[in-house]
Amino acid sequence: MQGKGIVRFFTILFLIVSLYQLLLLIPTNNVEREVAQKAEQKVAAMGATGGQRDSLYNYYHQVYLDSAFSKPTKFLFFNWLSYKDLKKQQMDLGLDLKGGMNITLQVDLRDLIIRKALNEKSNQKEPAKAVLDALNKVRQLQRNSTAGYISLFAQAYSEVTGGQKLAVDFCCKNDNGLNENSSDQDVINYLTTEANKTIETTYEKLKQRIDKFGVTSPNVTLDKRTERISVELAGVRNPERARNMLQASAKLEFLEVFTPQEASAEMKKIDQTLRRISLGVAVDTAGKPDSVKTAIMDSLAKVPSDNSGPLFAMFKTNFVSDSTMGFASLALVDVGDTLEVGRMLARPEVRQIMSKPFRFAWGKQAVEGTGQYELYALKPVAEGEEPLDGRYVTDADNQPNQQGGGYEVTLDFKDKGADLWAAMTGRNVGRPVAVVLDNQVCSAPRVINAITGGNTSITGNFSSEDAADLANILRIGELPARTEIVEQAVVGASLGQETINAGLMSMLVALLVIVVFMAIYYNTAGVVAVIALLANLFFLLATLSSLGVVLTLPGIAGIVLTMGMAVDANVVIYERVREELREGKDMLSSIRDGFTHSYSALIDANLTTLLTAVVLAVMGLGPIKGFGIVLGVGILTTMFTAILISHLIFDWWTDKGNSFKFWIPATEKILVGKNYDFVGMRKYAYFFSIAVLLIGAASYFVRGFELGIDFTGGRTYTVSFDNAVNTDELAGTLAKNFVDGSGREFRPIVKSFGSGNQYKITTGYMIDSESAQTDSIVREKLRTGLGTFVGKNLGPADFSSMVTSENVVGPTVADDIQKSAFYTAIIGLLGIFLYIFIRFRRWQYSLGAVAATVHDMSIVIMLFTLLHGIVPFSLEIDQAFIAVILTIIGYSVNDTVIVFDRLREYRNLYHDRPMAETVNLAINSTLSRTIITSATVFFVAVVLFLFGGDGIKAFSFAMTIGVIFGAYSSIFVATPIMMDLMKDEAPQAVGGLANNAANTVANAPAANNP
């Protein structure tokens, strides 16, 4: 091998760097163990138990971790890296492996547009109707487009105004530099600049919040293209707390409150109005307000007033009587009824009859132990009056409540804020004042006396975590734009541990299968392949650690598949060495020529697979992006170890006068000298493939696909029961709870999942709702339904222990995933077409390779529509399915390139022979490589299927089928189609010529067993 010294140098260097990288795990673990011990000792000394113990442990664990975050650590001669530096250079486990939460937030730019649309020249106080109509239309456009918000707004504005210039509503503000003559592009550029600033600031403020949240190594990323922020909080124990913290805009307001006594008559009038409407007494709300009010009041006189209407029917405790002077809230409402109550109070008929300017708001949290929310009637700030809000807060902190249980949040106001607060509390002595955060009432304490001095406290029986979160949010300040959760996944720690165990088992079994196979089939040469494989794993893990990759279940699958690819590379080389030995060459010449003649096939095959990995890494989302990175790095380390390190070992051993054996007697002549007329059989293969694909097409039109929520949108909960349950009965029970305002039932899909009486519950109930309380409502409905099914009331703790994971995908995200999947597959195929064209200089080769990959993709897709609901595991079409389709593309082309490479070699050697004869010769001579390389990956895919866990069963099943048909298509689809496209070299006397060619190979001198 030329450049042997350079290869040795880089191998040793790579080894040292990788060893150093993995040794960094030791000081990291030392820090984490010391922090955990300190937190345990602190909590033990305080004597805390139960939930209080867990809360205090989390608090002090984060305190001690924060203190160690930037301090240098010591290990041997490593003493210059802090814990923060160490974590950046190591792999971390994703939430599917250690539990936690992943949330995707859409930055909502609606308020930004409204602020920028207030035309100062015309003294507008409200944005024009055209702007509001366009904003409403953007919501619809987002579901069918991946374009940015500003682009979609410009499109919607043009549509609703018939092409009116944007400058009409966006010019003439002092700070924007626009005028009446500004072009639409000028306005778009201005809005885009402001939007980018808003998104960036929102992202930075969210990062500051998350840094204070109390989880180790949070992962926060901003996708500027989609204007979405992805947050991964591995190990988080309180998902609801995380949701509240991430979604809070932190718009803080202090408002006066209408007491129940003051609101009593008004609420009764509203309730009777709603009762009248329910009885069918209609009023034309298009008329003037006074006439509408009169008409409604006249019609109320015709309705008996001794019965409550639909509003009071939902008030579980009626707080509207005169005797409830001590309360600040109007009523308690079940969480499942809050959405309907909100709709009732927002009806035009209700707003028309109100004589007081009620601003309704819900309490921030359900009343403990009730599952009910308080409803408040707040007084809006009067026109011309200075509002007291978060702009005046200079600092916030949390501490135990000195006058009662729980914790409180203390606030400091600026000078003007202190005056406003003193004035508000002075005129509300003896009355409640509401502290409102994002239109939700945190607390409404009764004012004892005027508060001066510029400080106050917010009480509400907060837990230490809730108070700390609220203080951090207020200290960091209001987000410049609201955020909406469009996708989320929650995985319990127990389910994560099961996934880790399954992943490790699959890796160990796959390694054992490969070691045994290589040692038996290739004798002592197989030992070199095993050494190269172990080196590959070592380098792969070190490289992934240095990149700070978050390892997920698909990532583990990528590592296992890398093991199969590493063996594939050795098989390609060893089979060529065996050919050289059979031609009578000596051992040293055979090894040298075997490596030399394999380089072209190895590079082409691995680069095509690397191409698909790059597409996955660039275009994939979430765990699939991680899978693409692992697969891509694995390909690079495989080429390094299989080509260079293996060659070094062979050279080192043979330089000492030693020899290798590349077979045992039983494997010496397997698939050698075969004489199959593959070209002659191609028409039968065409017929078989077309028939199978037609069956799949028919199945698609009859049965369709089992689409996962990645593609449809919806919610999926994994629920664990003590005993096995009937899925139909469970679905029927839950359907009675999943009912929308029109009375429509949403029957969920319930399937068994894994072992231990676990079931997946999937529903589209309220997936289109934009209410901030939607998640709480759906979970409450699920909790009630599960309680009904098991025959007992489920408390929050019982419910949390039953629901081991949760996944929510909004319709906009689902639509984006569909588009991403389509473009990813198209780009992958196009890339392969171009690469094959460049390497083989004939478009026929490219088209043959693409036809084979499309064939293999179609076969797998066909089986997913044909077998779903029949096999005892899920065959959902989701993001992981797209990843496996692209991986199959890579493997299919891998096999095809091996045949093409040999065909190119034989075309140069036997250029005067007919094409058909050369094709048969190339396929027969590479048959052993095609089958053995496919067999090794097949074994690995089967191991993943059997031991990888239920979360990856569909992935491994598709991979297994894809590998089988990848080998088939390389022989019966890619090469024959390529040959048939070369009309000037059509097959002639196929049978006899093929036999002659095969005999040429079969009669070649065979070397003695070395």
Side-chain angles (χ1 to χ4, degrees):
M1 179 173 63
Q2 295 180 350
K4 192 182 300 184
I6 296 176
V7 173
R8 284 201 188 100
F9 170 77
F10 280 106
T11 300
I12 294 172
L13 182 63
F14 198 6
L15 181 64
I16 293 173
V17 172
S18 298
L19 186 61
Y20 163 78
Q21 185 65 53
L22 294 178
L23 280 176
L24 292 179
L25 289 170
I26 297 176
T28 305
N29 291 334
N30 289 342
V31 172
E32 292 175 349
R33 184 170 60 252
E34 183 180 347
V35 165
Q37 288 174 351
K38 285 183 178 180
E40 286 283 2
Q41 292 170 358
K42 181 69 174 180
V43 173
M46 298 175 70
T49 59
Q52 185 185 21
R53 180 204 173 282
D54 292 340
S55 178
L56 287 171
Y57 174 83
N58 291 339
Y59 173 77
Y60 284 109
H61 185 277
Q62 188 62 37
V63 168
Y64 293 135
L65 197 60
D66 287 344
S67 67
F69 210 60
S70 300
K71 291 181 180 178
T73 57
K74 290 185 178 181
F75 173 70
L76 297 178
F77 53 87
F78 305 124
N79 61 357
W80 62 87
L81 294 177
S82 66
Y83 177 75
K84 178 181 180 181
D85 297 326
L86 291 170
K87 292 300 288 184
K88 286 181 178 179
Q89 299 183 53
Q90 292 170 17
M91 274 192 301
D92 199 6
L93 297 181
L95 66 92
D96 57 351
L97 295 182
K98 68 176 181 182
M101 188 176 197
N102 183 284
I103 295 179
T104 301
L105 299 161
Q106 180 76 59
V107 179
D108 188 352
L109 297 173
R110 179 185 177 91
D111 291 342
L112 171 70
I113 297 291
I114 289 176
R115 289 197 303 270
K116 299 301 179 183
L118 299 180
N119 192 323
E120 290 183 355
K121 186 174 182 180
S122 57
N123 296 317
Q124 286 177 269
K125 295 181 180 179
E126 295 292 336
K129 182 177 182 301
V131 173
L132 297 177
D133 289 344
L135 287 170
N136 292 333
K137 191 175 183 63
V138 169
R139 193 78 180 180
Q140 303 168 9
L141 295 176
Q142 280 183 314
R143 297 191 177 183
N144 300 304
S145 174
T146 57
Y149 195 95
I150 302 302
S151 297
L152 293 178
F153 172 77
Q155 176 186 338
Y157 184 88
S158 178
E159 291 177 5
V160 301
T161 62
Q164 176 177 286
K165 290 182 65 175
L166 283 164
V168 171
D169 286 304
F170 290 92
C171 77
C172 310
K173 292 197 71 171
N174 293 332
D175 63 342
N176 66 18
L178 300 174
N179 55 53
E180 294 93 337
N181 299 320
S182 296
S183 67
D184 282 354
Q185 192 58 52
D186 290 336
V187 177
I188 291 172
N189 291 342
Y190 167 72
L191 293 177
T192 300
T193 300
E194 295 299 308
N196 290 339
K197 292 179 184 176
T198 300
I199 293 168
E200 192 68 38
T201 305
T202 302
Y203 169 63
E204 292 298 330
K205 284 183 175 290
L206 275 177
K207 282 208 304 182
Q208 293 178 48
R209 288 186 189 179
I210 293 164
D211 287 341
K212 301 292 185 182
F213 185 63
V215 294
T216 305
S217 302
N219 185 26
V220 188
T221 56
L222 169 63
D223 186 344
K224 293 184 179 180
R225 180 179 58 86
T226 59
E227 296 157 357
R228 291 175 186 158
I229 300 170
S230 177
V231 180
E232 186 166 294
L233 304 172
V236 67
R237 300 186 181 186
N238 190 338
E240 186 63 29
R241 176 188 168 210
R243 292 187 192 95
N244 292 335
M245 183 268 295
L246 291 171
Q247 279 195 294
S249 295
K251 183 178 181 181
L252 181 66
E253 301 171 279
F254 295 85
L255 296 172
E256 298 178 34
V257 179
F258 286 107
T259 65
Q261 183 183 35
E262 294 168 332
S264 176
E266 198 81 2
M267 295 304 295
K268 288 178 180 178
K269 185 167 60 175
I270 292 172
D271 182 59
Q272 289 302 307
T273 299
L274 292 168
R275 181 177 176 224
R276 175 193 55 77
I277 293 172
S278 68
L279 294 175
V281 180
V283 174
D284 182 10
T285 59
K288 295 181 180 180
D290 289 342
S291 64
V292 171
K293 183 187 294 187
T294 302
I296 293 176
M297 299 309 296
D298 290 343
S299 63
L300 278 175
K302 303 175 185 177
V303 180
S305 60
D306 55 346
N307 294 321
S308 295
L311 183 65
F312 282 6
M314 292 187 180
F315 285 4
K316 300 302 179 183
T317 304
N318 191 342
F319 278 359
V320 294
S321 67
D322 293 348
S323 63
T324 58
M325 188 64 181
F327 293 100
S329 61
L330 303 180
L332 285 174
V333 180
D334 280 347
V335 62
D337 293 331
T338 56
L339 198 62
E340 186 59 28
V341 168
R343 287 173 180 154
M344 289 181 182
L345 295 176
R347 290 187 67 116
E349 301 93 333
V350 170
R351 308 307 298 183
Q352 294 285 4
I353 67 163
M354 288 172 57
S355 56
K356 295 182 179 180
F358 285 0
R359 174 181 161 185
F360 293 108
W362 296 105
K364 186 172 179 57
Q365 295 178 327
V367 177
E368 188 174 358
T370 67
Q372 297 174 331
Y373 280 79
E374 291 180 291
L375 178 67
Y376 294 84
L378 309 178
K379 293 183 180 180
V381 178
E383 187 174 351
E385 186 177 320
E386 183 75 17
L388 177 58
D389 53 34
R391 293 174 299 172
Y392 299 109
V393 174
T394 58
D395 195 15
D397 201 0
N398 60 295
Q399 61 186 28
N401 188 347
Q402 302 300 322
Q403 299 179 353
Y407 285 72
E408 64 181 9
V409 177
T410 60
L411 301 176
D412 293 333
F413 291 111
K414 296 177 185 176
D415 294 339
K416 189 173 183 179
D419 295 339
L420 292 172
W421 181 236
M424 179 179 289
T425 53
R427 63 176 176 266
N428 282 279
V429 174
R431 295 172 54 84
V433 172
V435 182
V436 184
L437 184 69
D438 296 337
N439 203 38
Q440 293 179 320
V441 178
C442 292
S443 65
R446 192 167 297 277
V447 178
I448 298 174
N449 48 51
I451 302 174
T452 59
N455 56 65
T456 190
S457 63
I458 304 174
T459 59
N461 198 28
F462 297 115
S463 68
S464 61
E465 290 179 341
D466 292 336
D469 287 345
L470 180 56
N472 286 328
I473 287 172
L474 296 178
R475 191 182 304 118
I476 292 168
E478 181 178 352
L479 296 180
R482 291 177 296 175
T483 58
E484 176 189 359
I485 295 177
V486 292
E487 183 180 14
Q488 61 178 300
V490 181
V491 180
S494 60
L495 192 61
Q497 187 59 50
E498 291 178 13
T499 306
I500 291 175
N501 296 338
L504 291 176
M505 178 62 71
S506 66
M507 290 178 66
L508 292 174
V509 174
L511 183 61
L512 179 62
V513 168
I514 290 171
V515 168
V516 171
F517 173 78
M518 295 302 289
I520 292 176
Y521 196 89
Y522 289 110
N523 207 325
T524 55
V527 176
V528 178
V530 171
I531 294 172
L533 172 61
L534 295 176
N536 189 13
L537 287 175
F538 178 75
F539 292 139
L540 173 61
L541 293 175
T543 304
L544 294 177
S545 294
S546 68
L547 295 174
V549 171
V550 177
L551 186 64
T552 61
L553 180 58
I556 289 180
I559 293 175
V560 175
L561 291 175
T562 296
M563 294 162 60
M565 287 191 304
V567 175
D568 280 358
N570 287 114
V571 167
V572 171
I573 295 170
Y574 289 1
E575 287 299 309
R576 189 62 191 238
V577 173
R578 283 157 62 112
E579 287 183 34
E580 304 295 338
L581 288 169
R582 293 189 188 100
E583 291 179 4
K585 294 182 180 180
D586 60 69
M587 174 62 63
L588 293 178
S589 298
S590 296
I591 293 175
R592 182 189 65 244
D593 293 346
F595 271 89
T596 301
H597 294 155
S598 299
Y599 288 154
S600 177
L602 279 174
I603 292 172
D604 286 339
N606 281 283
L607 284 183
T608 50
T609 309
L610 180 62
L611 181 63
T612 62
V614 170
V615 172
L616 279 172
V618 172
M619 301 191 64
L621 303 173
I624 303 309
K625 182 185 288 289
F627 170 78
I629 293 172
V630 172
L631 192 62
V633 173
I635 291 166
L636 296 176
T637 56
T638 292
M639 294 178 69
F640 177 76
T641 54
I643 296 176
L644 299 179
I645 290 184
S646 293
H647 207 162
L648 278 179
I649 296 173
F650 278 114
D651 286 350
W652 169 75
W653 190 247
T654 53
D655 286 346
K656 293 179 176 293
N658 300 312
S659 183
F660 285 96
K661 293 183 180 181
F662 284 83
W663 53 62
I664 61 174
T667 63
E668 180 179 359
K669 295 185 178 180
I670 291 180
L671 300 174
V672 175
K674 297 304 176 183
N675 183 21
Y676 299 120
D677 182 10
F678 292 109
V679 172
M681 292 186 286
R682 71 189 188 285
K683 293 182 180 179
Y684 300 104
Y686 290 167
F687 176 81
F688 168 77
S689 295
I690 291 172
V692 171
L693 294 175
L694 286 176
I695 292 172
S699 175
Y700 166 74
F701 287 110
V702 174
R703 307 187 73 238
F705 288 114
E706 181 183 348
L707 293 176
I709 62 170
D710 286 353
F711 285 85
T712 62
R715 290 175 167 82
T716 293
Y717 302 89
T718 303
V719 181
S720 178
F721 290 86
D722 293 333
N723 303 299
V725 303
N726 183 293
T727 55
D728 287 336
E729 292 178 3
L730 177 59
T733 301
L734 294 175
K736 296 175 183 177
N737 288 271
F738 294 151
V739 181
D740 65 12
S742 65
R744 175 191 172 195
E745 285 189 358
F746 285 78
R747 184 181 177 89
I749 299 172
V750 182
K751 302 175 189 174
S752 60
F753 176 76
S755 57
N757 301 318
Q758 292 189 107
Y759 299 85
K760 270 194 173 182
I761 300 170
T762 303
T763 177
Y765 176 61
M766 291 188 71
I767 195 59
D768 291 319
S769 173
E770 298 177 16
S771 170
Q773 294 176 315
T774 299
D775 285 330
S776 298
I777 293 172
V778 177
R779 279 193 293 276
E780 182 65 21
K781 295 280 189 180
L782 177 64
R783 183 179 73 83
T784 303
L786 292 176
T788 302
F789 186 78
V790 300
K792 66 177 182 179
N793 182 37
L794 295 176
D798 295 330
F799 179 65
S800 296
S801 65
M802 286 185 69
V803 179
T804 56
S805 74
E806 168 184 348
N807 193 16
V808 181
V809 179
T812 303
V813 173
D815 186 72
D816 288 352
I817 291 174
Q818 289 185 39
K819 289 184 173 66
S820 175
F822 175 77
Y823 293 131
T824 299
I826 293 298
I827 291 173
L829 289 173
L830 181 61
I832 287 172
F833 180 92
L834 293 175
Y835 181 81
I836 298 294
F837 179 76
I838 292 170
R839 288 292 291 156
F840 291 92
R841 308 292 180 86
R842 299 292 293 268
W843 64 268
Q844 291 91 339
Y845 282 92
S846 294
L847 202 55
V850 169
T853 56
V854 171
H855 167 273
D856 299 339
M857 290 166 51
S858 302
I859 291 290
V860 173
I861 293 171
M862 176 275 296
L863 287 175
F864 267 60
T865 180
L866 194 63
L867 298 179
H868 77 82
I870 298 175
V871 295
F873 53 89
S874 174
L875 289 180
E876 285 187 355
I877 305 293
D878 54 14
Q879 288 191 71
F881 178 78
I882 303 307
V884 78
I885 286 295
L886 278 180
T887 308
I888 287 170
I889 290 175
Y891 275 107
S892 175
V893 175
N894 191 320
D895 285 336
T896 301
V897 164
I898 290 175
V899 179
F900 281 2
D901 187 76
R902 182 58 62 90
L903 178 59
R904 177 173 55 184
E905 179 183 339
Y906 283 176
R907 290 275 286 165
N908 292 330
L909 289 174
Y910 314 122
H911 53 81
D912 57 338
R913 292 187 179 182
M915 184 65 170
E917 180 180 343
T918 311
V919 167
N920 266 337
L921 179 59
I923 296 176
N924 277 288
S925 62
T926 57
L927 190 60
S928 58
R929 281 199 279 180
T930 299
I931 292 179
I932 295 172
T933 54
S934 297
T936 53
V937 181
F938 173 81
F939 288 149
V940 169
V942 170
V943 167
L944 273 176
F945 180 81
L946 295 176
F947 300 101
D950 293 278
I952 206 166
K953 223 173 238 329
F955 179 99
S956 51
F957 172 76
M959 196 69 218
T960 303
I961 301 303
V963 169
I964 293 172
F965 279 94
Y968 163 84
S969 67
S970 298
I971 297 172
F972 291 107
V973 179
T975 312
I977 286 180
M978 177 274 300
M979 187 195 73
D980 285 340
L981 290 172
M982 293 184 176
K983 296 180 180 179
D984 58 318
E985 300 174 284
Q988 301 174 11
V990 171
L993 291 172
N995 289 339
N996 291 337
N999 288 335
T1000 300
V1001 177
N1003 295 329
N1008 294 327
N1009 192 352

